[in-house]
Amino acid sequence: GDSVTQMEGPVTLSEEAFLTINCTYTATGYPSLFWYVQYPGEGLQLLLKATKADDKGSNKGFEATYRKETTSFHLEKGSVQVSDSAVYFCALGSQTGANNLFFGTGTRLTVIP
Amino acid sequence: EAQVTQNPRYLITVTGKKLTVTCSQNMNHEYMSWYRQDPGLGLRQIYYSMNVEVTDKGDVPEGYKVSRKEKRNFPLILESPSPNQTSLYFCASRGHGTDTQYFGPGTRLTVL
């Protein structure tokens, strides 16, 4: 079945460092792919998404490219800030009518000044 | 403001005492879901609804019930809570023809 494997955390970086969080998926067909972010004490917010192969999603300086050949959707940011400290979830959209998102386990990012 | 609201935000209860967590959205969305979030497991879908009076099981439905009598509301019911249902619960909604889900702020439930 459909699934997502996400880089284990936690990740601690200094401010202005480069960030990569790896995400790979298993699915038949062409699912939409998402990155959600959860700030402390809050619900999940959509960070970015891509709906087909080679699409690049971007938002707030974060980027991720839908790579069908490597079944990956890695999240990157060139220069992280303290305010980026959060938990990041990679997710895959169900291709049935189940209204489901298949989530990775989440990666906690802490950015220190 | 477009939003998904959940109540309560925090709840501590005892085994076997029935409880309901409410969820409401003001975006006229057809689809609504409940997820639970557990450490090391990410989020897993409990139940979902595709419209009023249409609900179905997700990946982890045991011990839960839902109803969808109105389009905006999708309560989660635990008729006899057990300690293994201690978790962080999220309600989500999305509109027909879109693939972006909007999440509520979460309900942290502890069952003693």
Side-chain angles (χ1 to χ4, degrees), chain B residues 17-73:
Chain B
K17 185 176 182 181
K18 181 178 179 180
L19 65 92
T20 299
V21 183
T22 65
C23 172
S24 183
Q25 50 92 7
N26 63 1
M27 296 169 278
N28 202 37
H29 283 170
E30 288 77 14
Y31 297 93
M32 298 185 75
S33 292
W34 276 103
Y35 293 85
R36 60 178 289 173
Q37 181 183 4
D38 300 293
L41 296 175
L43 281 79
R44 295 174 294 167
Q45 191 183 51
I46 302 170
Y47 268 94
Y48 66 96
S49 169
M50 297 172 73
N51 214 322
V52 175
E53 302 292 1
V54 181
T55 63
D56 207 348
K57 298 177 180 179
D59 298 319
V60 287
E62 294 77 20
Y64 304 95
K65 285 176 56 177
V66 293
S67 69
R68 187 93 181 273
K69 293 181 169 40
E70 305 165 284
K71 197 172 186 180
R72 63 184 295 127
N73 296 324

Side-chain angles (χ1 to χ4, degrees), chain A residues 32 34 49 99-101 105, chain B residues 33 35 40 45 94 99 101:
Chain A
S32 295
F34 305 84
K49 70 177 184 180
N99 189 42
N100 202 0
L101 285 170
T105 54
Chain B
S33 292
Y35 293 85
Q45 191 183 51
R94 74 173 172 91
D99 57 10
Q101 295 206 30

Side-chain angles (χ1 to χ4, degrees), chain A residues 94-109:
Chain A
S94 172
Q95 299 174 83
T96 69
N99 189 42
N100 202 0
L101 285 170
F102 296 96
F103 283 89
T105 54
T107 301
R108 180 177 298 279
L109 169 66

